[in-house]
Amino acid sequence: MQILTNPQNLMELCRQWHAAGDDIALVPTMGYYHAGHEDLMRHARTLAHRMVVSLFVNPAQFGPGEDLEAYPRDPERDSAIAASLGADILFMPEPGSMYAQDHATWVEVPDLAKGLCGQSRPVHFRGVCTVVLKLFMLSQANIAVFGQKDWQQQAIIRCMVRDLNLPVRIETRPTVREADGLALSSRNVYLTPEERAQAPQIRQGLLRAQELAQAGEHRAGVIRDSVLAWWAQHLPLGRLDYLSIVHPETLAPLDTTDGSALMACAVRMGKARLIDNILLRP
Ligand code: PAF
């Protein structure tokens, strides 16, 4: 595995691979790997001749007062993991090499970015789209792999790919969870033992919603209220950021769960902001 920090070097090497007839799978990450990242890499490894993993804590997707500085980092361990899972390149650029001081171009998908996480993170998805497009251009990836935990992110990226005719196929992988149901996230390290003990209740609440919907409850408001009641009882350390029932692709809020419906949430617990989601019908 080569570790590259210079965007031009990444571009040049990927150009050579394409010229030799190889296709490229990209796994964009912000590092501090857990089993969810490992699953993305294992899957990407099966999809293309070459695998590029990017590790970049992208400042553009953090708003003022968010955890950019505190975001957990362990590049040595991460590079050992990426190498062991067959990455050909680990791309670890410095912010200054990704963004010129007078960087002025942004990619936005405003309709899909305004709800859910976008309500409390108004610049987040424009930062994500911009860096992901840059990574697509630099790696010239044929395929890119994302996790379903970030449902809104993958919906927005799919829309960007469609609208801009980007020659990249997007693959998403199911959320990887701890044995007690907590979705794996690099941010779980922020949890105190008490918060960690309650955090699986996020998933328990969502599972109750799924049970209700599958038992025939169609009213989104009723389903949402039952999750809030569950959390009020079992998740007292959690502070709700949002809990919404939306269409899985358009992310438009739904009043009923008659068709496809996704329940998505963000809950703050101490220093952590945890997101999760569930499809209410199979
Ligand atoms: O999901 C993430 O880790 C990030 O948002 C991504 C896609 C690597 C862009 O910085």
Side-chain angles (χ1 to χ4, degrees), residues 59-208:
Q61 67 189 73
F62 290 78
E66 290 187 351
D67 58 344
L68 174 60
E69 277 80 33
Y71 196 84
R73 291 162 168 90
D74 193 344
E76 277 181 25
R77 183 175 164 273
D78 286 350
S79 36
I81 291 172
S84 74
L85 294 175
D88 294 285
I89 293 178
L90 180 63
F91 177 54
M92 301 171 68
E94 290 298 324
S97 68
M98 288 294 277
Y99 294 104
Q101 268 193 340
D102 55 351
H103 177 93
T105 306
W106 299 101
V107 185
E108 287 192 75
V109 185
D111 281 352
L112 291 181
K114 68 181 178 230
L116 307 179
C117 289
Q119 285 166 44
S120 59
R121 306 191 74 192
V123 299
H124 175 66
F125 289 113
R126 116 186 161 154
V128 169
C129 286
T130 304
V131 82
V132 167
L133 180 58
K134 286 161 79 70
L135 292 168
F136 286 175
M137 302 296 287
L138 291 169
S139 67
Q140 300 141 73
N142 306 85
I143 304 163
V145 187
F146 295 87
Q148 274 180 10
K149 181 169 71 67
D150 299 288
W151 188 286
Q152 187 176 16
Q153 170 172 279
Q154 59 85 36
I156 288 173
I157 289 167
R158 283 176 189 279
C159 183
M160 173 180 83
V161 164
R162 185 203 65 185
D163 290 352
L164 300 181
N165 304 100
L166 303 177
V168 187
R169 189 174 96 223
I170 303 300
E171 295 244 340
T172 51
R173 295 287 293 164
T175 303
V176 179
R177 298 179 181 281
E178 301 281 5
D180 59 13
L182 176 64
L184 293 191
S185 163
S186 304
R187 289 182 165 107
N188 290 351
V189 292
Y190 297 150
L191 296 170
T192 64
E194 295 73 27
E195 289 158 359
R196 174 65 189 81
Q198 279 182 30
Q201 296 300 332
I202 297 173
R203 168 78 167 163
Q204 288 304 316
L206 298 184
L207 285 169
R208 285 181 71 77

